[in-house]
Amino acid sequence: SMCAVMKWAVQSIRAVYPNTGVGIVIPPPGSAGGCSEEKANLMIECCRHADMHVPYLDMWHEGYIVASSSIKDGSNGLGYQDVHLSDAGRNRYASALAPFVERLCPFI
């Protein structure tokens, strides 16, 4: 299952690199076969589970990046094929990702 794979990946990284910050980014919504809200919620539940307890960045619910039919539509975030970020989407993603990485790796 997806949770089993997430748990395996986190445990494997922690075993080899015990002093490395590990976190998971929950991807933003997209209509081209991307992450569904059900999958996003399951990933969050997995991250919160006592066996894993890994920090996560919720770009689905808190990233405010939504699918758009055109890369030129800067108001929504996702554009062409609901994969590539528009300028607005890149700015939103980077604004959320930078502090998340700094929390995981405060000495960088």
Side-chain angles (χ1 to χ4, degrees), residues 60-87:
W60 178 277
H61 298 102
E62 299 171 11
Y64 306 109
I65 297 173
V66 295
S68 171
S69 60
S70 169
I71 194 70
K72 295 177 184 173
D73 184 358
S75 64
N76 292 329
L78 284 177
Y80 178 67
Q81 297 178 345
D82 293 334
V83 173
H84 306 285
L85 292 167
S86 67
D87 289 341

Tab-separated table of all heavy atoms in Angstrom, residues 60-87:
chain	number	residue	atom	x	y	z
A	60	TRP	N	-1.674	20.247	-0.700
A	60	TRP	CA	-3.033	20.005	-1.192
A	60	TRP	C	-4.011	20.973	-0.533
A	60	TRP	O	-4.719	21.708	-1.188
A	60	TRP	CB	-3.467	18.560	-0.926
A	60	TRP	CG	-4.877	18.327	-1.390
A	60	TRP	CD1	-6.018	18.621	-0.702
A	60	TRP	CD2	-5.299	17.841	-2.656
A	60	TRP	NE1	-7.122	18.323	-1.452
A	60	TRP	CE2	-6.710	17.838	-2.663
A	60	TRP	CE3	-4.617	17.386	-3.782
A	60	TRP	CZ2	-7.445	17.401	-3.749
A	60	TRP	CZ3	-5.368	16.942	-4.859
A	60	TRP	CH2	-6.761	16.957	-4.833
A	61	HIS	N	-4.048	20.967	0.807
A	61	HIS	CA	-5.029	21.760	1.530
A	61	HIS	C	-4.546	23.175	1.848
A	61	HIS	O	-5.347	24.082	1.977
A	61	HIS	CB	-5.406	21.062	2.842
A	61	HIS	CG	-6.033	19.728	2.636
A	61	HIS	ND1	-5.323	18.556	2.803
A	61	HIS	CD2	-7.278	19.368	2.261
A	61	HIS	CE1	-6.123	17.531	2.549
A	61	HIS	NE2	-7.314	17.990	2.219
A	62	GLU	N	-3.239	23.342	2.005
A	62	GLU	CA	-2.715	24.622	2.475
A	62	GLU	C	-1.862	25.368	1.458
A	62	GLU	O	-1.450	26.490	1.709
A	62	GLU	CB	-1.907	24.393	3.753
A	62	GLU	CG	-2.746	23.804	4.863
A	62	GLU	CD	-1.921	23.369	6.062
A	62	GLU	OE1	-0.721	23.713	6.130
A	62	GLU	OE2	-2.476	22.678	6.922
A	63	GLY	N	-1.570	24.738	0.318
A	63	GLY	CA	-0.705	25.369	-0.665
A	63	GLY	C	-1.411	26.343	-1.583
A	63	GLY	O	-0.786	27.156	-2.240
A	64	TYR	N	-2.735	26.247	-1.641
A	64	TYR	CA	-3.556	27.121	-2.483
A	64	TYR	C	-3.113	27.090	-3.945
A	64	TYR	O	-3.148	28.099	-4.631
A	64	TYR	CB	-3.577	28.554	-1.942
A	64	TYR	CG	-3.998	28.601	-0.508
A	64	TYR	CD1	-3.084	28.908	0.489
A	64	TYR	CD2	-5.299	28.293	-0.134
A	64	TYR	CE1	-3.464	28.924	1.821
A	64	TYR	CE2	-5.680	28.306	1.192
A	64	TYR	CZ	-4.759	28.629	2.165
A	64	TYR	OH	-5.134	28.629	3.476
A	65	ILE	N	-2.676	25.919	-4.399
A	65	ILE	CA	-2.329	25.709	-5.795
A	65	ILE	C	-3.409	24.816	-6.374
A	65	ILE	O	-3.628	23.707	-5.883
A	65	ILE	CB	-0.940	25.066	-5.941
A	65	ILE	CG1	0.127	25.995	-5.381
A	65	ILE	CG2	-0.657	24.707	-7.389
A	65	ILE	CD1	1.508	25.396	-5.331
A	66	VAL	N	-4.087	25.296	-7.379
A	66	VAL	CA	-5.180	24.521	-7.964
A	66	VAL	C	-4.965	24.369	-9.461
A	66	VAL	O	-4.243	25.134	-10.087
A	66	VAL	CB	-6.563	25.174	-7.693
A	66	VAL	CG1	-6.858	25.169	-6.210
A	66	VAL	CG2	-6.617	26.576	-8.237
A	67	ALA	N	-5.635	23.379	-10.043
A	67	ALA	CA	-5.493	23.101	-11.467
A	67	ALA	C	-6.062	24.239	-12.302
A	67	ALA	O	-6.999	24.911	-11.920
A	67	ALA	CB	-6.211	21.796	-11.805
A	68	SER	N	-5.447	24.437	-13.457
A	68	SER	CA	-5.866	25.471	-14.386
A	68	SER	C	-5.701	24.923	-15.796
A	68	SER	O	-4.856	24.078	-16.044
A	68	SER	CB	-4.989	26.713	-14.213
A	68	SER	OG	-5.242	27.640	-15.235
A	69	SER	N	-6.483	25.405	-16.710
A	69	SER	CA	-6.398	24.892	-18.075
A	69	SER	C	-5.311	25.564	-18.900
A	69	SER	O	-5.024	25.142	-19.999
A	69	SER	CB	-7.753	25.071	-18.771
A	69	SER	OG	-8.085	26.443	-18.809
A	70	SER	N	-4.702	26.600	-18.387
A	70	SER	CA	-3.710	27.333	-19.163
A	70	SER	C	-2.524	27.723	-18.296
A	70	SER	O	-2.697	28.215	-17.189
A	70	SER	CB	-4.339	28.600	-19.749
A	70	SER	OG	-3.342	29.434	-20.276
A	71	ILE	N	-1.318	27.536	-18.807
A	71	ILE	CA	-0.113	27.947	-18.087
A	71	ILE	C	-0.081	29.462	-17.905
A	71	ILE	O	0.545	29.964	-17.000
A	71	ILE	CB	1.158	27.437	-18.799
A	71	ILE	CG1	2.391	27.559	-17.899
A	71	ILE	CG2	1.409	28.173	-20.088
A	71	ILE	CD1	2.412	26.621	-16.737
A	72	LYS	N	-0.813	30.185	-18.743
A	72	LYS	CA	-0.831	31.644	-18.663
A	72	LYS	C	-1.702	32.134	-17.523
A	72	LYS	O	-1.644	33.282	-17.142
A	72	LYS	CB	-1.314	32.239	-19.983
A	72	LYS	CG	-0.373	31.954	-21.123
A	72	LYS	CD	-0.918	32.481	-22.419
A	72	LYS	CE	0.014	32.085	-23.554
A	72	LYS	NZ	-0.507	32.419	-24.852
A	73	ASP	N	-2.536	31.255	-16.971
A	73	ASP	CA	-3.421	31.638	-15.878
A	73	ASP	C	-2.631	31.640	-14.580
A	73	ASP	O	-2.529	30.633	-13.906
A	73	ASP	CB	-4.593	30.669	-15.790
A	73	ASP	CG	-5.603	31.074	-14.727
A	73	ASP	OD1	-5.362	32.082	-14.037
A	73	ASP	OD2	-6.611	30.391	-14.591
A	74	GLY	N	-2.063	32.764	-14.229
A	74	GLY	CA	-1.220	32.878	-13.048
A	74	GLY	C	-1.973	32.895	-11.742
A	74	GLY	O	-1.378	32.810	-10.683
A	75	SER	N	-3.287	32.982	-11.786
A	75	SER	CA	-4.036	33.080	-10.542
A	75	SER	C	-4.209	31.742	-9.844
A	75	SER	O	-4.488	31.697	-8.662
A	75	SER	CB	-5.416	33.679	-10.818
A	75	SER	OG	-6.164	32.814	-11.649
A	76	ASN	N	-4.054	30.633	-10.564
A	76	ASN	CA	-4.361	29.346	-9.972
A	76	ASN	C	-3.144	28.542	-9.536
A	76	ASN	O	-3.195	27.836	-8.561
A	76	ASN	CB	-5.185	28.502	-10.942
A	76	ASN	CG	-6.567	29.068	-11.139
A	76	ASN	OD1	-7.125	29.662	-10.239
A	76	ASN	ND2	-7.110	28.906	-12.317
A	77	GLY	N	-2.091	28.586	-10.280
A	77	GLY	CA	-0.894	27.865	-9.880
A	77	GLY	C	-0.457	26.781	-10.824
A	77	GLY	O	0.651	26.805	-11.307
A	78	LEU	N	-1.315	25.798	-11.081
A	78	LEU	CA	-0.959	24.746	-12.028
A	78	LEU	C	-1.486	25.119	-13.398
A	78	LEU	O	-2.574	25.638	-13.535
A	78	LEU	CB	-1.564	23.401	-11.621
A	78	LEU	CG	-0.897	22.672	-10.470
A	78	LEU	CD1	-1.670	21.395	-10.167
A	78	LEU	CD2	0.540	22.337	-10.756
A	79	GLY	N	-0.703	24.826	-14.411
A	79	GLY	CA	-1.121	25.184	-15.755
A	79	GLY	C	-1.081	24.004	-16.691
A	79	GLY	O	-1.738	23.006	-16.463
A	80	TYR	N	-0.270	24.091	-17.707
A	80	TYR	CA	-0.183	23.123	-18.793
A	80	TYR	C	-0.195	21.685	-18.286
A	80	TYR	O	0.657	21.294	-17.500
A	80	TYR	CB	1.083	23.407	-19.607
A	80	TYR	CG	1.321	22.446	-20.736
A	80	TYR	CD1	0.459	22.419	-21.830
A	80	TYR	CD2	2.386	21.575	-20.704
A	80	TYR	CE1	0.682	21.536	-22.868
A	80	TYR	CE2	2.619	20.695	-21.732
A	80	TYR	CZ	1.752	20.674	-22.821
A	80	TYR	OH	1.973	19.799	-23.840
A	81	GLN	N	-1.165	20.914	-18.702
A	81	GLN	CA	-1.355	19.518	-18.324
A	81	GLN	C	-1.483	19.324	-16.817
A	81	GLN	O	-1.264	18.244	-16.300
A	81	GLN	CB	-0.221	18.643	-18.861
A	81	GLN	CG	-0.153	18.609	-20.360
A	81	GLN	CD	1.018	17.776	-20.857
A	81	GLN	OE1	1.929	17.441	-20.105
A	81	GLN	NE2	1.002	17.466	-22.127
A	82	ASP	N	-1.814	20.366	-16.093
A	82	ASP	CA	-1.957	20.314	-14.632
A	82	ASP	C	-0.708	19.763	-13.943
A	82	ASP	O	-0.785	19.152	-12.895
A	82	ASP	CB	-3.171	19.486	-14.229
A	82	ASP	CG	-4.475	20.130	-14.637
A	82	ASP	OD1	-4.499	21.360	-14.775
A	82	ASP	OD2	-5.456	19.410	-14.819
A	83	VAL	N	0.435	19.954	-14.563
A	83	VAL	CA	1.686	19.474	-14.003
A	83	VAL	C	2.638	20.640	-13.764
A	83	VAL	O	3.238	20.773	-12.709
A	83	VAL	CB	2.357	18.437	-14.938
A	83	VAL	CG1	3.731	18.062	-14.432
A	83	VAL	CG2	1.467	17.219	-15.089
A	84	HIS	N	2.796	21.483	-14.757
A	84	HIS	CA	3.758	22.563	-14.699
A	84	HIS	C	3.179	23.752	-13.939
A	84	HIS	O	2.058	24.171	-14.180
A	84	HIS	CB	4.155	22.990	-16.113
A	84	HIS	CG	4.636	21.831	-16.938
A	84	HIS	ND1	5.872	21.268	-16.742
A	84	HIS	CD2	4.040	21.110	-17.909
A	84	HIS	CE1	6.017	20.259	-17.578
A	84	HIS	NE2	4.920	20.140	-18.290
A	85	LEU	N	3.970	24.312	-13.035
A	85	LEU	CA	3.518	25.444	-12.246
A	85	LEU	C	3.614	26.732	-13.053
A	85	LEU	O	4.591	26.958	-13.763
A	85	LEU	CB	4.366	25.585	-10.982
A	85	LEU	CG	4.205	24.473	-9.945
A	85	LEU	CD1	5.311	24.553	-8.917
A	85	LEU	CD2	2.849	24.555	-9.284
A	86	SER	N	2.624	27.585	-12.909
A	86	SER	CA	2.702	28.931	-13.480
A	86	SER	C	3.607	29.755	-12.569
A	86	SER	O	4.082	29.280	-11.532
A	86	SER	CB	1.306	29.550	-13.532
A	86	SER	OG	0.834	29.768	-12.205
A	87	ASP	N	3.857	31.010	-12.924
A	87	ASP	CA	4.680	31.880	-12.072
A	87	ASP	C	4.082	31.986	-10.675
A	87	ASP	O	4.792	31.895	-9.674
A	87	ASP	CB	4.810	33.274	-12.691
A	87	ASP	CG	5.700	33.274	-13.927
A	87	ASP	OD1	6.483	32.316	-14.105
A	87	ASP	OD2	5.608	34.229	-14.720
